[in-house]
Amino acid sequence: MLTTDFYPGAPNWLDLGSPDTEASADFYGSVFGWTFASAGPDSGGYGFFQQSGKTVAALGPLTEAGARSAWTIYFHAPDADAATQQVRENGGTVRVEPYDVFDNGRTAAFTDPGGAQFAIWQPGKTIGLDVVTEPGSLGWTELYVPDPSAVRDFYTTLFGWTIKEVPFGGGMTYVLASTAEGKEPDIAGIMPLQQGDTPHWLPYIEVSDTDATLVRVDASGGAVLMPAMDVEGVGRFAVCADPNGARFAVITSSETPM
């Protein structure tokens, strides 16, 4: 379960790169009730999705050449420069070198050996998101790569994760990652990529009613890529895309999570 304690290796930030930030703010405002607050005149259009005055995600224009609209999950790294060196030494790709975001923190962006993009956040004044796991906030993270076993060593070396396998519906096995401290034991899942898809990290947004949320996604110009389904002990979830193609999932978690 995610928490805002943000132990090293845990997801601590989430943002959306969009070709039209105003339209994206409108879409997610309609779907989740989020409001958008600019980070200021020197932020290059970057700002925060908020709920009841608390930051639940962020939004900014696309900055990398050839980038497509997508959500990026950030993981807590106590030393962004050391993490960047580890990525290089363990088969990953450094897409954006470490840099300071004013005095808020230090960040860098990578691609793992399986082809999925992610980022790190070394906290400064900003530790991380204000809220997680509550309706309208980040509730779960999931990695999709062609061969989950091929990226285990990369992430355990980089973040100190502990990896375990648990039974999943239909006789499947689900790969779970936890932080080294074990105080946030279910921070991410690792899944095999479906044929024809591209590797990616997928954020899940907790919602109070998955089906009602999907109605709003459709009415606001988004798409439901995977219809709602129930998994015992997990909850009811679905996978969606916003009007620019950025993928996200929504979930109404079970009261007795896996």
Side-chain angles (χ1 to χ4, degrees):
M1 179 179 177
L2 306 185
T3 76
T4 53
D5 291 328
F6 299 132
Y7 295 100
N12 63 345
W13 195 254
L14 174 69
D15 68 16
L16 172 67
S18 170
D20 186 339
T21 55
E22 184 175 350
S24 292
D26 288 342
F27 172 80
Y28 288 99
S30 297
V31 172
F32 297 127
W34 292 346
T35 58
F36 178 73
S38 171
D42 298 324
S43 65
Y46 196 83
F48 310 112
F49 282 126
Q50 295 187 323
Q51 182 171 264
S52 301
K54 295 182 177 181
T55 297
V56 294
L59 167 67
L62 296 173
T63 57
E64 294 183 53
R68 297 182 298 175
S69 186
W71 283 96
T72 298
I73 299 170
Y74 294 65
F75 297 90
H76 178 187
D79 186 329
D81 296 272
T84 299
Q85 186 61 29
Q86 286 183 318
V87 168
R88 285 198 174 95
E89 293 174 353
N90 289 280
T93 301
V94 178
R95 299 192 341 271
V96 180
E97 295 284 349
Y99 67 95
D100 292 319
V101 183
F102 305 107
D103 58 354
N104 294 300
R106 189 165 174 81
T107 187
F110 312 125
T111 302
D112 72 23
Q117 298 183 352
F118 69 103
I120 55 171
W121 181 254
Q122 176 186 330
K125 285 180 61 179
T126 300
I127 305 301
L129 301 171
D130 291 335
V131 181
V132 296
T133 69
E134 296 181 9
S137 68
L138 181 67
W140 186 242
T141 64
E142 214 162 51
L143 171 63
Y144 289 81
V145 286
D147 181 2
S149 63
V151 300
R152 290 193 190 190
D153 288 348
F154 173 80
Y155 283 105
T156 55
T157 299
L158 179 60
F159 294 130
W161 285 353
T162 298
I163 304 291
K164 64 181 179 180
E165 297 183 357
V166 298
F168 197 60
M172 297 175 58
T173 298
Y174 192 69
V175 180
L176 280 172
S178 63
T179 59
E181 287 84 354
K183 295 179 180 178
E184 289 184 79
D186 299 330
I187 62 162
I190 306 176
M191 294 285 285
L193 190 69
Q194 292 187 352
Q195 187 173 1
D197 200 358
T198 55
H200 61 281
W201 274 96
L202 181 70
Y204 280 67
I205 305 301
E206 185 73 36
V207 295
S208 56
D209 187 326
T210 292
D211 295 278
T213 303
L214 297 185
V215 172
R216 293 194 295 273
V217 168
D218 184 66
S220 302
V224 177
L225 305 181
M226 186 191 80
M229 64 178 295
D230 295 297
V231 174
E232 185 178 357
V234 176
R236 185 167 177 80
F237 60 92
V239 178
C240 308
D242 70 19
N244 293 311
R247 284 187 280 192
F248 62 96
V250 296
I251 184 168
T252 305
S253 295
S254 168
E255 293 182 1
T256 55
M258 181 172 60

